[in-house]
Amino acid sequence: MENKINWDELGFSYIKTPWRFLAKWSDGHWQPGVLTEENQLTISEASTALHYGQQCFEGLKAYRRKDGGVNLFRPDQNSQRLNRSAQRLYMPEVPEDLFIEAVTAVVKANEAFVPPYGTGGTLYIRPLLIGVGDMIGVQPAPEFIFTVFCMPVGPYFKGGLTPTNFIVSDYDRAAPNGTGAIKVGGNYAASLLPGKEAHAKNFSDCIYLDPQTHTKIEEVGSANFFGITADNEFVTPISPSILPSITKYSLLYLAEHHLGLTAIEGDVFIDQLDRFTEAGACGTAAVISPIGGIQNKEDFHVFFSETEVGPVTKRLYDELTGIQFGDVKAPEGWILSVL
């Protein structure tokens, strides 16, 4: 299919592509999925996804290689995380082979919308699992829909690999022992107001602290935090209410095995930021976004620079994106070649 997209001007917004995958669960099993051109879902007004938040989702990307082929990056990890979300919300798991089949089919069907190599663009893929059917009581849905759609995107943060500033929020992102560690819409809905308030103060987004003590960094907007110390340590927070980012765990591995850093998951106290010479946010959408500085009440702490990317952050970015686009040899099992 022909398209008239200006690849160099892509943002991070919805673009309707021709095909998406749809499968339904009822009577205890998944029915065979199909590709469809219809981008509207028709569901019961009593669906649990609408009333009780019984829904979860994923986000992953397809990358155009230099030879014209297309890579998926660790889709098995997205499948496993979707199923952890499903378990927590009492939803049927999507078998990994069905998940991979759906994602692969959508990429192949919309191959013309995978941005060319060298543009920095990617095909963003959104798997979605929702509870549907007639259920007004607070109970699991009688039926479920699993769908996967996609769109070409550019950088999540305008300006690409450029440091931006963040502000510590007074709001909690998630409750202790709640749903912070799974990818559900309610976590993101709760972040909209704090994010708007941060933007109004000219910050990229919020820094969320741990909900129990408000002393430790947990997340950066909808991304994970990392810091680089003068002792060549790659440090990222650990908490049961942090979403386990596939990008973060990939960076932990690359920091240790490819860059020779000491990789640490541990507490990151907001009053000890001076231990870090560089800092950043990471996630599927953002990839890596360098953090210039953090505003915490009256204190504004600058890391490497407000205008330049730190050398370790840049090396990590180059290594990760090199693997994703097929320019750097990937650890075993990380890349699935679709085309």
Side-chain angles (χ1 to χ4, degrees):
M1 176 178 175
E2 293 293 327
N3 62 69
K4 299 180 180 179
I5 294 172
N6 185 332
W7 302 113
D8 296 322
E9 294 184 3
L10 276 175
F12 199 92
S13 58
Y14 178 79
I15 295 173
K16 182 185 177 184
T17 50
W19 297 98
R20 65 273 308 129
F21 183 94
L22 186 72
K24 295 183 179 180
W25 184 96
S26 61
D27 299 324
H29 67 275
W30 285 103
Q31 301 169 8
V34 297
L35 285 172
T36 174
E37 294 183 273
E38 178 57 62
N39 73 329
Q40 303 292 317
L41 295 175
T42 301
I43 63 175
S44 167
E45 62 187 354
S47 293
T48 61
L50 301 178
H51 298 268
Y52 307 124
Q54 196 179 28
Q55 63 84 240
C56 59
F57 67 100
E58 274 300 319
L60 65 159
K61 291 177 176 178
Y63 306 82
R64 179 78 69 182
R65 298 192 306 269
K66 194 172 186 177
D67 65 5
V70 178
N71 285 344
L72 288 171
F73 181 72
R74 309 191 76 181
D76 59 320
Q77 298 300 303
N78 292 97
S79 172
Q80 292 169 27
R81 190 170 65 180
L82 181 79
N83 284 334
R84 290 195 297 270
S85 298
Q87 291 168 9
R88 178 64 176 81
L89 298 186
Y90 208 63
M91 304 168 78
E93 294 184 28
V94 177
E96 186 170 313
D97 57 352
L98 174 59
F99 183 95
I100 300 295
E101 172 199 345
V103 170
T104 301
V106 167
V107 173
K108 288 181 176 179
N110 296 289
E111 192 259 342
F113 288 83
V114 182
Y117 174 86
T119 63
T122 54
L123 188 74
Y124 184 79
I125 305 159
R126 172 55 58 85
L128 175 67
L129 178 62
I130 61 173
V132 298
D134 299 327
M135 179 56 68
I136 200 63
V138 184
Q139 301 177 51
E143 300 174 355
F144 294 86
I145 288 175
F146 171 61
T147 185
V148 179
F149 61 97
C150 68
M151 71 220 69
V153 298
Y156 185 76
F157 291 109
K158 289 181 174 62
L161 198 67
T162 302
T164 57
N165 299 329
F166 295 81
I167 185 171
V168 173
S169 177
D170 291 329
Y171 294 95
D172 288 334
R173 176 188 160 271
N177 303 314
T179 58
I182 61 174
K183 202 167 178 67
V184 295
N187 294 344
Y188 295 81
S191 75
L192 296 176
L193 179 60
K196 180 182 179 181
E197 293 180 357
H199 297 153
K201 296 176 181 177
N202 295 317
F203 291 95
S204 284
D205 213 326
C206 300
I207 299 283
Y208 294 103
L209 303 181
D210 71 289
Q212 287 186 305
T213 71
H214 292 161
T215 61
K216 296 174 284 189
I217 290 179
E218 289 218 331
E219 292 208 2
V220 184
S222 57
N224 283 182
F225 175 89
F226 70 86
I228 309 297
T229 73
D231 297 326
N232 291 320
E233 296 170 326
F234 177 94
V235 184
T236 186
I238 187 169
S239 164
S241 52
I242 292 177
L243 181 71
S245 163
I246 294 159
T247 303
K248 181 186 85 169
Y249 283 105
S250 300
L251 289 174
L252 277 164
Y253 180 92
L254 295 176
E256 179 177 359
H257 297 278
H258 287 209
L259 272 67
L261 305 177
T262 302
I264 299 171
E265 272 191 287
D267 291 334
V268 176
F269 289 96
I270 191 63
D271 62 356
Q272 296 178 13
L273 296 181
D274 55 359
R275 67 187 284 215
F276 300 112
T277 57
E278 301 177 35
C282 62
T284 297
V287 188
I288 289 178
S289 178
I291 298 176
I294 292 177
Q295 184 77 46
N296 179 31
K297 298 187 179 356
E298 302 304 316
D299 177 65
F300 182 68
H301 180 86
V302 176
F303 295 97
F304 181 78
S305 166
E306 288 187 75
T307 58
E308 297 181 13
V309 181
V312 178
T313 301
K314 181 65 164 60
R315 287 175 62 201
L316 284 167
Y317 177 85
D318 290 344
E319 193 76 8
L320 178 62
T321 56
I323 288 170
Q324 292 168 334
F325 285 100
D327 297 326
V328 174
K329 184 178 179 181
E332 186 175 354
W334 278 25
I335 294 296
L336 175 62
S337 179
V338 177
L339 291 164

